[in-house]
């Protein structure tokens, strides 16, 4: 008999067991609650205090060993596993006969006494066993384990059951977000919430998801960034704010990209991008130390040092260092396009010198930025919301933080000149007409807010999922998203 048929047969038997329980008036799905006094980890950590005392635990059967008149089961709860010792003479013959029919995957409540077996294993000697839920499916661990990534992502609930390290990753993710909030709250930042549905797709260079509001009979966009809403709040008088939330970008998928992801954005009045750079470094070091416990991180076999001061280099200097091309010596757009063609870089008709500098950066520099590195002073062409550098208006007061060749953060001194901002929006509008789907639209209300006066402000965006990837040694963004976006199974 094939494995698949064997599984089907076992599931048929499980369904029969459920029907028998119902006929006997013991339907497990009628159970509404079970009072838990201790989790498994709590029992292990406080054994000396709890030994000989009664506890109540609950969890999923992950292993079962029948020894005739006694049995051992391992129950798994959120904190770990605990062994339970079930004897026929302690719970009664009838109850024991029913208990022996329980399957791997069933969820039990056990009340009993904490003790240590002859082999020294901390256990609970059962006085009462209650079936709280019947598992009608066979856990994959029973056969070959759950290793196929496609199945793991689609059935995350099973992945969490049988792969403890996956559960640990998501616990760590929660701790990372908690520490980000704690750090910012302690710095005097106020957490706020802004709309996910926007009437204008703005705040980043990205292609949006479009939806339709029936009552208003108008198209709306899932936000690609909360930036323009948050900066309105700085205009309104808040001076330190942040938001952690989902953003949506209708773009490609890869081990680093998911259509929806979690972003931290913060804004602080009366500071510039250098202040935000210092804040970013302190934030990441704080979270790393608190959650991981050390500043040396192993990521995909490479040691990353978060303890040393983060390197800082301009985009111009980085491109010159790794490609040998000095863009300071390139006089105009046409020469830049010619050099790009010589290096086999794809240049779109509307690209200018700054766009081409960025192409060289992406090809020659990014992969070399392993330890945390701030790339500063981006060209104005690719920075429509950044304040110009006072010593060279072709560049901006902007930085991106790269780790392991990947962008983790983006920040700048916010452009607060409404006249300059309108001109840059108009350029973005022209680019959209020329076929750039990622170009920003003109947001008239945002421009109005700037006309009321935006104080000098520094802003920051951090991709939470990518930070979690680094701190959990996860090679794919899907490994740090509980339910990553997947192709419809109907299309497979």
């Amino acid at each position: 008999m094939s494995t698949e048929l064997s599984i089907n047969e076992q599931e048929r038997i499980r369904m029969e067991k459920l029907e028998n329980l119902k006929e006997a008036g013991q339907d497990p799905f009628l159970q509404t609650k079970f009072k838990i006094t201790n989790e498994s980890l709590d029992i292990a950590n406080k054994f000396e205090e709890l030994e000989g005392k009664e506890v109540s635990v609950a969890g999923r059967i992950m292993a079962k060993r029948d020894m005739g008149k006694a049995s051992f089961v391992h129950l798994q709860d959120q904190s770990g596993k605990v062994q339970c010792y079930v004897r026929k003479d302690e719970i009664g013959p009838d109850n024991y006969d029913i208990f022996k029919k329980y399957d791997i995957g069933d969820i039990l409540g056990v009340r009993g006494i904490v003790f240590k077996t002859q082999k020294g294993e901390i256990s609970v000697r059962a006085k009462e066993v209650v079936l709280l839920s019947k598992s009608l499916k066979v856990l994959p661990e029973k056969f070959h384990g759950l290793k196929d990534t496609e199945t793991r992502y689609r059935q995350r609930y099973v992945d969490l059951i049988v792969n403890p390290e996956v559960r640990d990753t998501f616990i760590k993710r929660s701790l990372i977000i908690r520490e980000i909030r704690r750090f910012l709250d302690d710095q005097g930042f106020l957490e706020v919430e802004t709309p996910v549905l926007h009437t204008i797709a703005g705040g980043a260079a990205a292609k949006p998801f479009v939806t339709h509001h029936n009552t208003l009979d108008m198209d709306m966009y899932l936000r690609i960034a909360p930036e323009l809403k948050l900066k309105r709040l700085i205009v309104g008088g808040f001076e330190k704010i942040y938001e952690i939330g989902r953003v949506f970008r209708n773009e490609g998928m890869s081990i680093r990209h998911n259509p929806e992801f979690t972003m931290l954005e913060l804004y602080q009045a009366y500071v510039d991008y250098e202040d935000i750079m210092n804040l970013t470094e302190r934030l990441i070091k704080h979270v790393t130390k608190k959650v991981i416990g050390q500043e040396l991180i192993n990521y995909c076999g490479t040691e990353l040092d978060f303890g040393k001061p983060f390197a800082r280099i301009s985009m111009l200097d980085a491109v010159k260092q790794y490609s040998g091309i000095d863009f300071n010596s390139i006089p105009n757009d046409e020469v830049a396009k010619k050099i790009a063609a010589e290096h086999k870089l794809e240049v779109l008709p509307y690209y200018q010198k700054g766009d081409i500098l960025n192409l060289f950066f992406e090809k020659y520099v990014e992969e070399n930025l392993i330890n945390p590195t701030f790339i500063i002073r981006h060209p104005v062409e690719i920075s429509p919301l950044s304040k110009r550098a006072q010593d060279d208006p072709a560049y901006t007061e902007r930085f991106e933080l790269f780790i392991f060749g990947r962008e983790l953060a983006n920040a700048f001194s916010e452009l607060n000149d409404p006249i300059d901002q309108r001109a840059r929006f108009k350029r973005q509008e022209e680019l959209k007409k020329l076929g750039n789907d990622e170009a920003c639209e003109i947001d008239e209300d945002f421009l109005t807010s700037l006309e009321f006066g935006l104080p000098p402000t520094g802003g920051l965006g951090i991709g939470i999922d990518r930070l979690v990837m680094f701190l959990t040694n996860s090679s794919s963004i899907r490994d740090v998203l509980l339910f990553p976006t997947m192709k419809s199974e109907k299309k497979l």
Side-chain angles (χ1 to χ4, degrees):
M1 183 178 292
S2 70
T3 300
E4 182 179 357
L5 290 176
S6 175
I7 292 175
N8 289 339
E9 179 64 16
Q10 289 192 53
E11 291 177 353
R12 183 190 65 78
I13 294 171
R14 289 183 181 219
M15 183 64 75
E16 289 181 356
K17 289 180 180 180
L18 175 62
E19 294 303 322
N20 292 336
L21 286 169
K22 288 181 176 180
E23 289 174 4
Q26 298 176 348
D27 186 347
F29 300 124
L30 295 179
Q31 297 287 344
T32 58
K33 63 181 179 179
F34 182 83
K35 183 175 177 58
I36 298 170
T37 63
N38 301 86
E39 291 188 335
S40 58
L41 184 61
D42 188 43
I43 293 172
N45 290 341
K46 299 179 180 179
F47 172 72
E48 293 183 1
E49 177 186 331
L50 294 173
E51 185 178 16
K53 296 182 179 178
E54 183 176 288
V55 297
S56 294
V57 297
R60 189 182 298 275
I61 300 177
M62 298 303 293
K64 189 178 180 186
R65 190 166 78 254
D66 185 6
M67 296 162 37
K69 295 182 179 181
S71 299
F72 286 99
V73 293
H74 284 142
L75 295 188
Q76 177 174 284
D77 61 16
Q78 179 176 282
S79 67
K81 293 180 182 178
V82 62
Q83 178 173 271
C84 296
Y85 179 54
V86 185
R87 289 179 57 90
K88 183 176 183 179
D89 59 358
E90 293 205 29
I91 68 170
D94 292 342
N95 289 333
Y96 189 72
D97 288 343
I98 295 171
F99 162 78
K100 288 180 67 175
K101 296 176 182 177
Y102 295 161
D103 296 299
I104 302 295
D106 288 353
I107 297 175
L108 300 184
V110 175
R111 181 174 61 85
I113 305 299
V114 176
F115 78 109
K116 191 175 286 187
T117 66
Q118 291 180 346
K119 293 184 178 181
E121 185 167 356
I122 296 171
S123 306
V124 176
R125 183 189 298 268
K127 295 172 66 175
E128 179 186 19
V129 178
V130 181
L131 181 63
L132 301 174
S133 185
K134 181 68 184 169
S135 176
L136 301 178
K137 291 286 187 181
V138 178
L139 290 178
E141 188 180 44
K142 180 76 175 175
F143 296 94
H144 305 296
L146 186 62
K147 303 299 181 185
D148 177 67
T149 55
E150 182 82 10
T151 304
R152 286 181 52 227
Y153 299 144
R154 289 187 185 280
Q155 298 185 342
R156 182 67 86 188
Y157 42 89
V158 182
D159 191 25
L160 291 166
I161 293 171
V162 302
N163 293 320
E165 69 278 5
V166 173
R167 187 167 60 252
D168 292 342
T169 292
F170 288 103
I171 291 173
K172 199 165 287 183
R173 178 189 175 104
S174 181
L175 294 176
I176 289 166
I177 294 173
R178 180 191 302 174
E179 284 302 326
I180 290 172
R181 282 194 166 98
R182 181 171 295 163
F183 176 87
L184 294 175
D185 291 345
D186 288 346
Q187 296 291 316
F189 282 82
L190 178 71
E191 184 172 11
V192 298
E193 294 177 296
T194 60
V196 171
L197 286 175
H198 287 186
T199 55
I200 293 175
K207 187 175 181 180
F209 284 93
V210 184
T211 186
H212 189 79
H213 193 292
N214 291 334
T215 301
L216 297 177
D217 191 23
M218 62 185 290
D219 285 343
M220 301 188 77
Y221 306 94
L222 296 181
R223 69 180 177 191
I224 57 176
E227 177 168 341
L228 301 187
K229 298 291 186 184
L230 291 172
K231 285 196 278 194
R232 285 169 167 89
L233 299 182
I234 299 292
V235 171
F238 289 114
E239 294 180 359
K240 287 184 174 183
I241 56 172
Y242 74 93
E243 180 171 12
I244 297 175
R246 287 292 216 213
V247 295
F248 307 84
R249 298 183 182 179
N250 197 357
E251 300 169 343
M253 294 171 58
S254 70
I255 62 170
R256 288 184 279 174
H257 298 91
N258 194 69
E260 59 174 308
F261 56 97
T262 301
M263 178 78 77
L264 160 70
E265 285 212 13
L266 65 82
Y267 294 86
Q268 181 175 352
Y270 309 113
V271 301
D272 66 5
Y273 81 122
E274 291 187 344
D275 297 304
I276 296 297
M277 217 181 314
N278 296 332
L279 177 73
T280 303
E281 184 167 344
R282 295 202 318 273
L283 168 61
I284 291 174
K285 287 183 174 182
H286 167 87
V287 172
T288 302
K289 201 164 186 179
K290 286 290 185 180
V291 177
I292 307 303
Q294 61 184 34
E295 294 171 319
L296 284 177
I297 304 298
N298 184 287
Y299 183 70
C300 296
T302 298
E303 186 176 81
L304 305 176
D305 190 349
F306 285 17
K308 294 179 180 177
F310 292 3
R312 303 182 181 191
I313 183 172
S314 72
M315 184 178 284
L316 271 172
D317 290 341
V319 168
K320 183 178 179 180
Q321 178 180 337
Y322 289 103
S323 75
I325 304 299
D326 183 1
F327 269 75
N328 267 332
S329 65
I330 297 176
N332 53 47
D333 298 343
E334 294 308 313
V335 175
K337 289 179 180 179
K338 181 180 178 181
I339 294 174
E342 292 171 355
H343 286 77
K344 296 181 171 54
L345 293 174
E346 183 181 357
V347 177
L348 297 177
Y350 51 81
Y351 275 7
Q352 297 175 309
K353 177 181 170 181
D355 299 296
I356 296 168
L357 171 63
N358 189 53
L359 290 181
F360 273 84
F361 173 78
E362 291 175 348
K363 180 174 180 178
Y364 292 102
V365 181
E366 283 189 3
E367 64 182 9
N368 295 293
L369 305 177
I370 303 304
N371 277 309
T373 303
F374 289 115
I375 297 295
I376 63 175
R377 293 172 64 94
H378 294 55
V380 70
E381 291 91 337
I382 62 168
S383 309
L385 298 167
S386 307
K387 183 170 285 192
R388 294 176 189 266
Q390 292 187 27
D391 61 344
D392 189 345
Y395 295 90
T396 60
E397 293 190 355
R398 176 183 173 187
F399 74 78
E400 289 179 297
L401 175 61
F402 284 84
I403 302 174
F404 200 72
R406 301 173 183 178
E407 178 200 342
L408 177 66
N410 184 27
F412 30 85
S413 300
E414 303 296 333
L415 177 59
N416 62 346
D417 178 346
I419 299 170
D420 190 2
Q421 185 64 80
R422 179 176 292 279
R424 295 206 218 169
F425 274 160
K426 284 192 172 295
R427 171 60 181 165
Q428 291 288 305
E429 188 176 53
E430 292 171 5
L431 294 177
K432 186 173 283 291
K433 291 177 181 178
L434 292 171
N436 185 346
D437 292 334
E438 296 184 352
C440 301
E441 296 181 43
I442 296 178
D443 188 332
E444 289 291 348
D445 183 69
F446 175 66
L447 290 171
T448 299
S449 74
L450 293 185
E451 289 172 354
F452 276 97
L454 172 70
T457 299
L460 167 70
I462 293 180
I464 297 294
D465 309 299
R466 289 189 181 177
L467 179 59
V468 175
M469 287 171 66
F470 288 129
L471 298 186
T472 59
N473 195 17
S474 300
S475 60
S476 171
I477 193 172
R478 292 184 175 187
D479 292 328
V480 300
L481 297 173
L482 280 168
F483 300 103
T485 303
M486 304 289 289
K487 183 183 292 187
S488 171
E489 288 188 277
K490 295 178 181 179
K491 296 181 180 180
L492 298 179

